[in-house]
Amino acid sequence: MEKPRILIIYTGGTIGMVETPEGLQPFDFSHLMDNVPKLGELGYEIDSVQFKNPIDSSNMNPQYWGMIVKDIADNYDKYDGFVVLHGTDTMAYTASALAFMLRNLRKPVVVTGSQLPIGDVREDGTQNLVSAVQVAAAKDANGDPMIQEVVISFQDYIVRGCRSTKFTSTGFHAFKSFNYPDLGTIDLHIEYAEPYLMRHDDKLPLDPFYAMDPNILVMWLYPGITESVVKAQLATPGVKAVVLRTFGAGNAPTEQWFLDALGDAVKKGLIVYNVTQCANGGDEQKRYYTGDMLSKAGVISGYDITCEAAVAKLMYLLGSGLPADTVREYLGVSMVGELTD
Ligand code: ASP
C-alpha cells in the first residue's frame, strides 16, 4: 500500500497563532509543525505550503481564495488530498467559495482550523489538524477518495463546505450544517455518512476558476427598515446582485415602497436572491403572501442555501460572465450541493 500523500496549505488563523503583546498574531508555519509531532506518526507523506504572510481570516478575500485554488490546482496530481488550515471566522465562506472555484473537484479538500492556538496548553488544534489529515487520506471500499468535495472537518464533525456555518465564537464544536446531514463523525472512529457524500460518474480534470466578482451586497431586513436605507443600498454603485436576508420562510414587508424599490432594482438588471435569516429550514417564497410578493417583484428563491454559500455562488456566477437569464436559472438549482432544490 502506498503512503497517502497529503498537502497542507496554511493560510493563517488561530490554529497557527502565538500570543504577542499586541494580541494573537499569525506565526510561521514551522511553529505549527513543530507542535504536532503526531503528524509524523501517521506514516503519511505530508508536505506543506503557506501564505507568505499568513492572515487572520477576517482579511480573507477572493484574491486569497485564488491563491488557495492555485496551490491545489498546481499540486492536484501529486497529492491524494488537501488540507486547508484557515481561521474559523470566515472558514464557511472559504469552504463555499472553494466548492464553486474548484470545478470538477474529485479529490478531498478538507478545511480546518481551531478555536485555540496549537501552542496553547489546552487547545483543539492538534485534534482538528490530525483528523483533517486522516479525512483527506481516507478511501472508500472501491479505493476511491472517501471525500470527493470540499468539506469542513472540525472537532467531532465533518460537514459539507458549502452547507457550513460558524455558529459559535467560543465552542469547540464551531461549525454546523443546518440544512444537510453531517458527512461524518469523528470520535473513537471516523465514520462517514456515505449516502450523503458527493459522488461523480466521470473523471473530468480539475478546472480551476479564479474570476470571482465581488460586486454584491448583503441586505439584512429588520422591522422598521426605512425607505432611504433600502434605496441607498440598492443604489450602491457597482452592485450587480443582492443577497436579501428575509424573515422566516423567505418573507419581507409588503409595503408598496419596498416592493417598488425591489421591483425597480430587478428591472434595472439587479439580481436579488432570497436567503432567510433563519439558520435552519429555508425559504418557501410562495408559502405566504409576503413571500409571494417577492416572487412577483422578480426576487429569486435561494431555498435552504446559507448566506455564506449564496455570497460565493453569486460571486462565482457573476464572475463567469454568463447571460443574466442563465445566472438566474443556476441560482435556483444546486450546482455543488449548496441547496436542496
Ligand atoms: N480570527 C481568527 C480567524 O478567523 C479566529 C480563528 O481562527 O478561530 O482567523
Side-chain angles (χ1 to χ4, degrees):
M1 273 265 290
E2 277 193 26
K3 287 183 182 178
R5 285 157 303 169
I6 305 296
L7 181 67
I8 299 177
I9 300 165
Y10 174 55
T11 68
T14 298
I15 192 162
M17 287 189 184
V18 282
E19 291 284 0
T20 72
E22 288 80 41
L24 282 170
Q25 299 227 358
F27 195 66
D28 191 82
F29 186 70
S30 52
H31 159 85
L32 197 148
M33 293 302 271
D34 290 348
N35 277 289
V36 197
K38 281 182 188 167
L39 277 180
E41 291 170 30
L42 289 173
Y44 301 169
E45 270 180 37
I46 301 177
D47 294 320
S48 63
V49 291
Q50 72 169 82
F51 277 10
K52 200 159 154 238
N53 297 308
I55 58 165
D56 184 298
S57 76
S58 306
N59 286 315
M60 189 46 70
N61 62 36
Q63 282 71 42
Y64 286 125
W65 288 338
M67 286 162 60
I68 303 171
V69 169
K70 187 155 185 341
D71 279 337
I72 294 171
D74 287 351
N75 292 289
Y76 194 66
D77 295 332
K78 284 185 243 152
Y79 293 92
D80 299 307
F82 301 86
V83 172
V84 179
L85 296 182
H86 194 288
T88 57
D89 289 348
T90 60
M91 189 183 287
Y93 289 92
T94 294
S96 300
L98 294 180
F100 289 101
M101 296 169 81
L102 292 165
R103 295 183 297 200
N104 301 339
L105 180 69
R106 302 291 182 261
K107 290 189 175 182
V109 173
V110 184
V111 188
T112 196
S114 66
Q115 294 277 47
L116 285 173
I118 269 186
D120 273 20
V121 177
R122 198 170 60 80
E123 47 90 10
D124 56 330
T126 303
Q127 180 197 322
N128 287 351
L129 173 56
V130 174
S131 301
V133 169
Q134 288 187 297
V135 171
K139 301 275 185 211
D140 67 13
N142 302 322
D144 292 324
M146 181 64 84
I147 301 294
Q148 303 179 18
E149 59 185 299
V150 180
V151 300
I152 288 184
S153 167
F154 211 92
Q155 209 227 16
D156 294 346
Y157 297 91
I158 304 163
V159 294
R160 175 162 292 165
C162 58
R163 291 290 196 150
S164 65
T165 294
K166 179 177 179 180
F167 78 104
T168 164
S169 61
T170 52
F172 284 152
H173 174 202
F175 289 88
K176 266 196 187 172
S177 164
F178 287 97
N179 289 330
Y180 192 75
D182 295 330
L183 301 184
T185 47
I186 301 168
D187 41 38
L188 215 61
H189 305 285
I190 302 182
E191 309 269 9
Y192 296 92
E194 294 204 37
Y196 300 110
L197 298 175
M198 186 80 75
R199 283 294 175 264
H200 311 274
D201 302 329
D202 53 62
K203 294 249 183 291
L204 293 171
L206 187 75
D207 179 16
F209 179 86
Y210 296 100
M212 298 291 265
D213 184 342
N215 286 303
I216 64 156
L217 163 77
V218 178
M219 187 160 85
W220 186 278
L221 297 180
Y222 47 88
I225 192 167
T226 62
E227 184 169 355
S228 64
V229 164
V230 168
K231 285 192 169 161
Q233 289 186 75
L234 293 177
T236 306
V239 163
K240 298 175 188 161
V242 182
V243 177
L244 183 67
R245 300 306 307 273
T246 53
F247 308 123
N251 302 312
T254 50
E255 285 171 80
Q256 201 54 49
W257 66 262
F258 180 77
L259 295 172
D260 287 348
L262 280 183
D264 290 348
V266 170
K267 273 186 216 124
K268 281 190 194 132
L270 208 70
I271 289 165
V272 185
Y273 202 28
N274 186 349
V275 178
T276 174
Q277 295 174 13
C278 296
N280 192 207
D283 72 65
E284 297 173 59
Q285 215 169 255
K286 295 207 180 286
R287 179 149 172 225
Y288 292 92
Y289 173 72
T290 44
D292 195 36
M293 293 307 281
L294 291 180
S295 307
K296 294 203 166 77
V299 174
I300 303 160
S301 174
Y303 301 97
D304 60 356
I305 196 168
T306 61
C307 182
E308 295 89 330
V311 165
K313 186 171 184 176
L314 283 170
M315 288 189 186
Y316 172 73
L317 287 171
L318 292 176
S320 59
L322 296 164
D325 282 351
T326 316
V327 169
R328 292 168 161 277
E329 269 169 45
Y330 277 130
L331 286 172
V333 296
S334 167
M335 296 178 72
V336 289
E338 75 281 9
L339 57 80
T340 315
D341 53 9

